[in-house]
Amino acid sequence: MPVQIAYLSVILIWATTPLAIQWSTEGAGFAFALFSRMLIGVIIGALVLVVFRIPFPTHAHARRVYAVGGASLFVGMALTYWASRHVHSGLISVMFGLSPLAAAVLAALWLGERSLTKKRLTGAVLGVGGLAVIFLQGGISGGWATVAGLLALVVAMICYTAGMVWIKRIGNDSPPLATTVGTVGAALPGFALVWWFAEGQVPMEVAPRALSAIVYLGVFGSVIGFAAYYHCIRHLEASRVALITLITPVLALLLGQALNGEHTTPRLWFGVMLILTGLVLHQWETFRPWFRSRRRQPM
């Protein structure tokens, strides 16, 4: 796959995933939509492993990684799907865009990394400030249900990020797709239990848009997007990959406004811009070589 196509695919998949999550729960129930997506993802991922003969480690170390990743995925996705009923789809992308800031704090605490420089701390403060502005906007325009949804998304982002940092602490030598299949497979019983206790039945009729969104998330969101992302990491400099976290929240908000009739206000955009500015400062060491190369290019 040409790296340009992979890069564009990651941006489009990540930007459309929040809207697809919201659409997938229309008439189907959030628990059924979540379980169905993950089941499709495991089946497709396992088939790819078999067809391309990609190793799937099952030793104790790999099982520990699957368990930690599965636990964080379960909590993160369950809360995200629940929150999608109360929050604009674009804000899901914005909340998960904060994950690099959370990862830096957790890495400093758990891994002893010197990740909290002055620039990164300033970026974190701006990110928290933007988050506060968004919470204020949610409380005004959507009531307490929206505030609860935003809180659920923050907890989901922290849990998912904590799982990734913990896996880094454990150390992971498994192929990326094998880790994905093992992680989703470990979380799948939890998703099944949530569906059973929350809804307990297969919907008699699923709207075509909801069904299409579930299949899209299972195939593209869980398998193709992941493979394309790691393809980008392998062939592009870190600064270009990091730009994805800045592009997708804005694009997701615009898509929600254009395709789902979601109302955005100047105050909400101000909060988003604070978060994105914080992310740029947080990842400045990564972006700096890219900015320098751009300045050297002739006009």
Side-chain angles (χ1 to χ4, degrees):
M1 176 189 295
V3 68
Q4 295 87 346
I5 295 178
Y7 190 84
L8 181 61
S9 298
V10 173
I11 291 175
L12 292 176
I13 291 171
W14 283 14
T16 54
T17 291
L19 185 58
I21 287 175
Q22 208 163 64
W23 283 355
S24 70
T25 63
E26 294 177 350
F30 82 95
F32 174 79
L34 175 57
F35 174 61
S36 301
R37 169 197 174 171
M38 295 304 174
L39 181 61
I40 292 171
V42 166
I43 293 172
I44 298 297
L47 287 174
V48 173
L49 289 177
V50 172
V51 170
F52 292 95
R53 298 182 179 180
I54 300 173
F56 182 76
T58 57
H59 50 74
H61 189 77
R63 294 198 302 271
R64 188 180 177 192
V65 169
Y66 302 153
V68 171
S72 64
L73 178 69
F74 168 70
V75 176
M77 286 295 100
L79 289 174
T80 298
Y81 269 72
W82 178 85
S84 69
R85 302 178 301 170
H86 308 293
V87 176
H88 290 342
S89 64
L91 286 179
I92 298 175
S93 182
V94 173
M95 292 299 122
F96 276 88
L98 285 164
S99 58
L101 305 180
V105 175
L106 293 173
L109 294 174
W110 292 351
L111 307 180
E113 293 183 1
R114 296 180 178 179
S115 54
L116 297 179
T117 62
K118 288 183 179 180
K119 278 192 175 66
R120 290 190 169 187
L121 283 172
T122 303
V125 170
L126 286 174
V128 172
L131 188 61
V133 171
I134 290 174
F135 265 89
L136 179 62
Q137 168 65 24
I140 291 174
S141 64
W144 288 108
T146 300
V147 174
L150 289 171
L151 281 171
L153 285 175
V154 172
V155 175
M157 179 273 296
I158 292 174
C159 288
Y160 189 76
T161 305
M164 297 302 100
V165 175
W166 197 263
I167 287 174
K168 183 177 180 181
R169 181 176 180 175
I170 296 172
N172 182 26
D173 56 358
S174 302
L177 185 57
T179 300
T180 300
V181 173
T183 295
V184 178
L188 199 60
F191 294 135
L193 287 174
V194 169
W195 165 65
W196 179 258
F197 286 108
E199 297 161 9
Q201 60 183 2
V202 177
M204 296 298 296
E205 184 177 354
V206 180
R209 187 166 78 169
L211 182 60
S212 299
I214 291 171
V215 174
Y216 171 79
L217 289 168
V219 176
F220 288 87
S222 301
V223 180
I224 296 178
F226 185 85
Y229 177 64
Y230 274 91
H231 187 69
C232 291
I233 290 176
R234 181 174 297 178
H235 293 93
L236 290 176
E237 59 271 25
S239 60
R240 292 188 182 275
V241 177
L243 281 173
I244 295 174
T245 61
L246 303 181
I247 297 171
T248 51
V250 176
L251 188 55
L253 281 169
L254 293 174
L255 285 172
Q257 189 172 356
L259 301 179
N260 211 37
E262 297 173 356
H263 178 62
T264 54
T265 66
R267 181 181 293 164
L268 188 147
W269 279 109
F270 177 64
V272 172
M273 289 304 108
L274 281 178
I275 289 175
L276 296 183
T277 303
L279 286 171
V280 170
L281 283 176
H282 177 267
Q283 302 189 52
W284 182 251
E285 295 302 319
T286 301
F287 288 129
R288 186 166 55 180
W290 184 77
F291 285 131
R292 285 178 176 175
S293 66
R294 297 292 294 178
R295 283 200 299 266
R296 294 194 191 102
Q297 291 180 359
M299 299 298 291

Short mmCIF file of all heavy atoms in Angstrom, two decimals, residues 230-272:
data_model
loop_
_atom_site.label_atom_id
_atom_site.label_comp_id
_atom_site.label_asym_id
_atom_site.label_seq_id
_atom_site.Cartn_x
_atom_site.Cartn_y
_atom_site.Cartn_z
N TYR A 230 0.05 1.58 11.51
CA TYR A 230 1.39 1.04 11.72
C TYR A 230 2.22 1.10 10.44
O TYR A 230 3.45 1.22 10.51
CB TYR A 230 1.31 -0.39 12.26
CG TYR A 230 1.18 -0.41 13.76
CD1 TYR A 230 -0.06 -0.43 14.36
CD2 TYR A 230 2.31 -0.35 14.57
CE1 TYR A 230 -0.18 -0.41 15.75
CE2 TYR A 230 2.20 -0.34 15.95
CZ TYR A 230 0.94 -0.36 16.53
OH TYR A 230 0.83 -0.32 17.89
N HIS A 231 1.56 1.06 9.29
CA HIS A 231 2.28 1.25 8.02
C HIS A 231 2.85 2.67 7.97
O HIS A 231 3.99 2.87 7.53
CB HIS A 231 1.32 1.00 6.86
CG HIS A 231 1.99 1.01 5.51
ND1 HIS A 231 2.87 0.03 5.10
CD2 HIS A 231 1.91 1.90 4.48
CE1 HIS A 231 3.29 0.30 3.87
NE2 HIS A 231 2.73 1.43 3.49
N CYS A 232 2.08 3.65 8.42
CA CYS A 232 2.55 5.04 8.45
C CYS A 232 3.72 5.19 9.42
O CYS A 232 4.71 5.88 9.12
CB CYS A 232 1.42 5.98 8.85
SG CYS A 232 0.13 6.16 7.61
N ILE A 233 3.62 4.59 10.60
CA ILE A 233 4.69 4.68 11.58
C ILE A 233 5.99 4.13 11.02
O ILE A 233 7.09 4.66 11.26
CB ILE A 233 4.30 3.93 12.88
CG1 ILE A 233 3.19 4.69 13.60
CG2 ILE A 233 5.50 3.75 13.79
CD1 ILE A 233 2.67 3.98 14.84
N ARG A 234 5.88 3.08 10.24
CA ARG A 234 7.08 2.43 9.71
C ARG A 234 7.74 3.25 8.61
O ARG A 234 8.97 3.21 8.45
CB ARG A 234 6.70 1.04 9.17
CG ARG A 234 7.88 0.25 8.61
CD ARG A 234 7.47 -1.16 8.23
NE ARG A 234 7.02 -1.92 9.40
CZ ARG A 234 6.57 -3.17 9.34
NH1 ARG A 234 6.50 -3.79 8.18
NH2 ARG A 234 6.20 -3.79 10.44
N HIS A 235 6.97 4.02 7.82
CA HIS A 235 7.51 4.67 6.63
C HIS A 235 7.56 6.19 6.69
O HIS A 235 8.10 6.82 5.78
CB HIS A 235 6.70 4.26 5.40
CG HIS A 235 6.83 2.81 5.05
ND1 HIS A 235 5.96 1.85 5.51
CD2 HIS A 235 7.75 2.15 4.30
CE1 HIS A 235 6.32 0.66 5.04
NE2 HIS A 235 7.40 0.81 4.31
N LEU A 236 7.00 6.81 7.74
CA LEU A 236 6.99 8.26 7.82
C LEU A 236 7.69 8.73 9.09
O LEU A 236 7.75 8.00 10.08
CB LEU A 236 5.55 8.80 7.82
CG LEU A 236 4.76 8.67 6.52
CD1 LEU A 236 3.33 9.15 6.75
CD2 LEU A 236 5.40 9.45 5.39
N GLU A 237 8.22 9.96 9.04
CA GLU A 237 8.81 10.53 10.24
C GLU A 237 7.73 10.80 11.27
O GLU A 237 6.56 10.99 10.96
CB GLU A 237 9.58 11.82 9.93
CG GLU A 237 8.77 12.94 9.31
CD GLU A 237 8.73 12.89 7.79
OE1 GLU A 237 8.90 11.77 7.23
OE2 GLU A 237 8.50 13.94 7.18
N ALA A 238 8.14 10.83 12.53
CA ALA A 238 7.19 10.93 13.63
C ALA A 238 6.33 12.19 13.57
O ALA A 238 5.17 12.18 13.95
CB ALA A 238 7.93 10.87 14.97
N SER A 239 6.92 13.30 13.07
CA SER A 239 6.17 14.56 13.03
C SER A 239 4.95 14.46 12.13
O SER A 239 3.89 15.00 12.45
CB SER A 239 7.08 15.70 12.56
OG SER A 239 7.59 15.44 11.27
N ARG A 240 5.07 13.78 11.01
CA ARG A 240 3.93 13.66 10.11
C ARG A 240 2.86 12.73 10.70
O ARG A 240 1.66 12.98 10.52
CB ARG A 240 4.38 13.14 8.74
CG ARG A 240 5.25 14.12 7.98
CD ARG A 240 5.51 13.64 6.56
NE ARG A 240 6.37 14.57 5.85
CZ ARG A 240 5.94 15.65 5.20
NH1 ARG A 240 4.66 15.92 5.19
NH2 ARG A 240 6.79 16.44 4.57
N VAL A 241 3.28 11.68 11.38
CA VAL A 241 2.31 10.80 12.02
C VAL A 241 1.58 11.54 13.14
O VAL A 241 0.37 11.40 13.32
CB VAL A 241 3.00 9.53 12.55
CG1 VAL A 241 2.00 8.64 13.27
CG2 VAL A 241 3.65 8.76 11.41
N ALA A 242 2.33 12.36 13.90
CA ALA A 242 1.73 13.10 15.02
C ALA A 242 0.69 14.11 14.54
O ALA A 242 -0.22 14.46 15.29
CB ALA A 242 2.82 13.80 15.82
N LEU A 243 0.83 14.60 13.32
CA LEU A 243 -0.15 15.56 12.80
C LEU A 243 -1.56 14.96 12.72
O LEU A 243 -2.54 15.70 12.73
CB LEU A 243 0.27 16.03 11.40
CG LEU A 243 1.36 17.10 11.33
CD1 LEU A 243 1.77 17.34 9.88
CD2 LEU A 243 0.89 18.40 11.97
N ILE A 244 -1.66 13.65 12.67
CA ILE A 244 -2.96 13.00 12.58
C ILE A 244 -3.82 13.36 13.80
O ILE A 244 -5.02 13.60 13.67
CB ILE A 244 -2.80 11.46 12.48
CG1 ILE A 244 -2.10 11.10 11.17
CG2 ILE A 244 -4.15 10.76 12.58
CD1 ILE A 244 -1.76 9.62 11.04
N THR A 245 -3.19 13.45 14.98
CA THR A 245 -3.94 13.77 16.20
C THR A 245 -4.44 15.20 16.21
O THR A 245 -5.33 15.54 17.00
CB THR A 245 -3.07 13.54 17.45
OG1 THR A 245 -1.93 14.40 17.40
CG2 THR A 245 -2.62 12.10 17.54
N LEU A 246 -3.88 16.05 15.34
CA LEU A 246 -4.36 17.43 15.23
C LEU A 246 -5.43 17.58 14.16
O LEU A 246 -6.32 18.42 14.28
CB LEU A 246 -3.20 18.37 14.91
CG LEU A 246 -2.02 18.38 15.89
CD1 LEU A 246 -0.97 19.39 15.44
CD2 LEU A 246 -2.49 18.71 17.29
N ILE A 247 -5.35 16.77 13.14
CA ILE A 247 -6.27 16.88 12.01
C ILE A 247 -7.62 16.24 12.32
O ILE A 247 -8.69 16.81 12.04
CB ILE A 247 -5.66 16.25 10.74
CG1 ILE A 247 -4.40 17.00 10.33
CG2 ILE A 247 -6.67 16.25 9.59
CD1 ILE A 247 -3.61 16.32 9.23
N THR A 248 -7.58 15.04 12.91
CA THR A 248 -8.83 14.27 13.05
C THR A 248 -9.89 14.92 13.95
O THR A 248 -11.07 14.84 13.61
CB THR A 248 -8.53 12.84 13.53
OG1 THR A 248 -7.70 12.89 14.71
CG2 THR A 248 -7.81 12.05 12.46
N PRO A 249 -9.53 15.57 15.09
CA PRO A 249 -10.61 16.18 15.88
C PRO A 249 -11.36 17.27 15.13
O PRO A 249 -12.60 17.34 15.21
CB PRO A 249 -9.86 16.76 17.10
CG PRO A 249 -8.62 15.95 17.20
CD PRO A 249 -8.24 15.64 15.78
N VAL A 250 -10.63 18.13 14.41
CA VAL A 250 -11.29 19.20 13.66
C VAL A 250 -12.16 18.61 12.56
O VAL A 250 -13.31 19.02 12.36
CB VAL A 250 -10.23 20.15 13.07
CG1 VAL A 250 -10.90 21.21 12.19
CG2 VAL A 250 -9.44 20.83 14.18
N LEU A 251 -11.62 17.64 11.83
CA LEU A 251 -12.38 17.02 10.75
C LEU A 251 -13.61 16.30 11.29
O LEU A 251 -14.69 16.35 10.69
CB LEU A 251 -11.47 16.05 9.98
CG LEU A 251 -12.04 15.43 8.70
CD1 LEU A 251 -12.49 16.52 7.73
CD2 LEU A 251 -11.01 14.53 8.03
N ALA A 252 -13.47 15.64 12.44
CA ALA A 252 -14.61 14.94 13.04
C ALA A 252 -15.71 15.92 13.44
O ALA A 252 -16.90 15.64 13.25
CB ALA A 252 -14.15 14.14 14.26
N LEU A 253 -15.33 17.07 13.97
CA LEU A 253 -16.33 18.08 14.33
C LEU A 253 -17.06 18.60 13.09
O LEU A 253 -18.28 18.78 13.10
CB LEU A 253 -15.66 19.24 15.07
CG LEU A 253 -15.34 19.01 16.54
CD1 LEU A 253 -14.44 20.12 17.07
CD2 LEU A 253 -16.61 18.93 17.37
N LEU A 254 -16.30 18.85 12.02
CA LEU A 254 -16.91 19.34 10.78
C LEU A 254 -17.84 18.30 10.17
O LEU A 254 -18.91 18.63 9.66
CB LEU A 254 -15.81 19.75 9.79
CG LEU A 254 -14.96 20.95 10.18
CD1 LEU A 254 -13.82 21.15 9.18
CD2 LEU A 254 -15.80 22.21 10.27
N LEU A 255 -17.43 17.03 10.21
CA LEU A 255 -18.28 15.97 9.68
C LEU A 255 -19.56 15.83 10.50
O LEU A 255 -20.65 15.64 9.93
CB LEU A 255 -17.51 14.64 9.69
CG LEU A 255 -16.44 14.47 8.62
CD1 LEU A 255 -15.64 13.19 8.86
CD2 LEU A 255 -17.06 14.43 7.22
N GLY A 256 -19.44 15.92 11.82
CA GLY A 256 -20.64 15.85 12.65
C GLY A 256 -21.60 16.99 12.36
O GLY A 256 -22.82 16.81 12.35
N GLN A 257 -21.04 18.17 12.11
CA GLN A 257 -21.87 19.33 11.80
C GLN A 257 -22.54 19.19 10.44
O GLN A 257 -23.72 19.51 10.28
CB GLN A 257 -21.01 20.59 11.83
CG GLN A 257 -21.78 21.90 11.75
CD GLN A 257 -20.90 23.10 11.99
OE1 GLN A 257 -19.72 22.97 12.29
NE2 GLN A 257 -21.45 24.30 11.86
N ALA A 258 -21.79 18.68 9.45
CA ALA A 258 -22.31 18.60 8.09
C ALA A 258 -23.24 17.41 7.88
O ALA A 258 -24.26 17.53 7.19
CB ALA A 258 -21.14 18.51 7.10
N LEU A 259 -22.93 16.26 8.47
CA LEU A 259 -23.66 15.03 8.19
C LEU A 259 -24.66 14.64 9.27
O LEU A 259 -25.54 13.82 9.02
CB LEU A 259 -22.67 13.86 7.97
CG LEU A 259 -21.66 14.04 6.84
CD1 LEU A 259 -20.74 12.83 6.76
CD2 LEU A 259 -22.36 14.26 5.51
N ASN A 260 -24.49 15.20 10.47
CA ASN A 260 -25.35 14.79 11.57
C ASN A 260 -26.10 15.95 12.22
O ASN A 260 -26.77 15.77 13.23
CB ASN A 260 -24.52 14.06 12.64
CG ASN A 260 -25.30 13.00 13.37
OD1 ASN A 260 -26.13 12.30 12.77
ND2 ASN A 260 -25.04 12.86 14.66
N GLY A 261 -25.97 17.14 11.62
CA GLY A 261 -26.68 18.29 12.14
C GLY A 261 -26.28 18.71 13.53
O GLY A 261 -27.09 19.27 14.27
N GLU A 262 -25.03 18.46 13.93
CA GLU A 262 -24.58 18.80 15.27
C GLU A 262 -24.21 20.29 15.33
O GLU A 262 -23.50 20.80 14.48
CB GLU A 262 -23.37 17.93 15.65
CG GLU A 262 -23.72 16.45 15.73
CD GLU A 262 -22.51 15.57 15.95
OE1 GLU A 262 -21.39 16.13 15.97
OE2 GLU A 262 -22.68 14.34 16.09
N HIS A 263 -24.71 20.95 16.35
CA HIS A 263 -24.52 22.39 16.49
C HIS A 263 -23.23 22.67 17.27
O HIS A 263 -23.04 22.17 18.37
CB HIS A 263 -25.70 23.02 17.22
CG HIS A 263 -25.55 24.49 17.44
ND1 HIS A 263 -25.45 25.40 16.40
CD2 HIS A 263 -25.47 25.21 18.59
CE1 HIS A 263 -25.33 26.61 16.89
NE2 HIS A 263 -25.33 26.52 18.23
N THR A 264 -22.34 23.44 16.68
CA THR A 264 -21.10 23.84 17.34
C THR A 264 -21.09 25.36 17.50
O THR A 264 -21.57 26.07 16.62
CB THR A 264 -19.86 23.39 16.55
OG1 THR A 264 -19.96 23.88 15.20
CG2 THR A 264 -19.75 21.88 16.52
N THR A 265 -20.53 25.83 18.58
CA THR A 265 -20.52 27.25 18.90
C THR A 265 -19.09 27.76 18.93
O THR A 265 -18.13 26.98 19.04
CB THR A 265 -21.18 27.51 20.26
OG1 THR A 265 -20.36 26.91 21.28
CG2 THR A 265 -22.59 26.91 20.32
N PRO A 266 -18.91 29.09 18.87
CA PRO A 266 -17.56 29.66 18.98
C PRO A 266 -16.85 29.24 20.27
O PRO A 266 -15.63 29.02 20.27
CB PRO A 266 -17.81 31.17 18.94
CG PRO A 266 -19.08 31.31 18.15
CD PRO A 266 -19.91 30.12 18.54
N ARG A 267 -17.59 29.12 21.37
CA ARG A 267 -16.97 28.73 22.64
C ARG A 267 -16.42 27.31 22.55
O ARG A 267 -15.33 27.02 23.04
CB ARG A 267 -17.98 28.84 23.78
CG ARG A 267 -17.39 28.47 25.14
CD ARG A 267 -18.43 28.58 26.23
NE ARG A 267 -18.83 29.97 26.43
CZ ARG A 267 -19.91 30.34 27.08
NH1 ARG A 267 -20.74 29.42 27.55
NH2 ARG A 267 -20.20 31.62 27.24
N LEU A 268 -17.17 26.42 21.92
CA LEU A 268 -16.69 25.05 21.78
C LEU A 268 -15.42 25.02 20.91
O LEU A 268 -14.45 24.34 21.24
CB LEU A 268 -17.78 24.18 21.17
CG LEU A 268 -17.51 22.67 21.12
CD1 LEU A 268 -18.81 21.90 21.29
CD2 LEU A 268 -16.84 22.26 19.82
N TRP A 269 -15.42 25.76 19.80
CA TRP A 269 -14.25 25.80 18.94
C TRP A 269 -13.05 26.40 19.68
O TRP A 269 -11.91 25.99 19.46
CB TRP A 269 -14.55 26.59 17.67
CG TRP A 269 -15.28 25.79 16.64
CD1 TRP A 269 -16.58 25.93 16.26
CD2 TRP A 269 -14.75 24.72 15.86
NE1 TRP A 269 -16.89 25.00 15.30
CE2 TRP A 269 -15.80 24.25 15.02
CE3 TRP A 269 -13.51 24.09 15.78
CZ2 TRP A 269 -15.63 23.20 14.12
CZ3 TRP A 269 -13.34 23.05 14.89
CH2 TRP A 269 -14.39 22.62 14.07
N PHE A 270 -13.30 27.38 20.55
CA PHE A 270 -12.22 27.96 21.34
C PHE A 270 -11.60 26.89 22.24
O PHE A 270 -10.37 26.80 22.37
CB PHE A 270 -12.76 29.12 22.18
CG PHE A 270 -11.72 29.74 23.08
CD1 PHE A 270 -10.60 30.38 22.56
CD2 PHE A 270 -11.87 29.67 24.46
CE1 PHE A 270 -9.65 30.94 23.39
CE2 PHE A 270 -10.92 30.23 25.31
CZ PHE A 270 -9.81 30.87 24.77
N GLY A 271 -12.43 26.07 22.86
CA GLY A 271 -11.91 24.98 23.68
C GLY A 271 -11.10 23.99 22.86
O GLY A 271 -10.04 23.52 23.30
N VAL A 272 -11.59 23.67 21.66
CA VAL A 272 -10.86 22.74 20.79
C VAL A 272 -9.51 23.33 20.39
O VAL A 272 -8.49 22.63 20.39
CB VAL A 272 -11.71 22.42 19.54
CG1 VAL A 272 -10.89 21.63 18.53
CG2 VAL A 272 -12.95 21.64 19.94
#
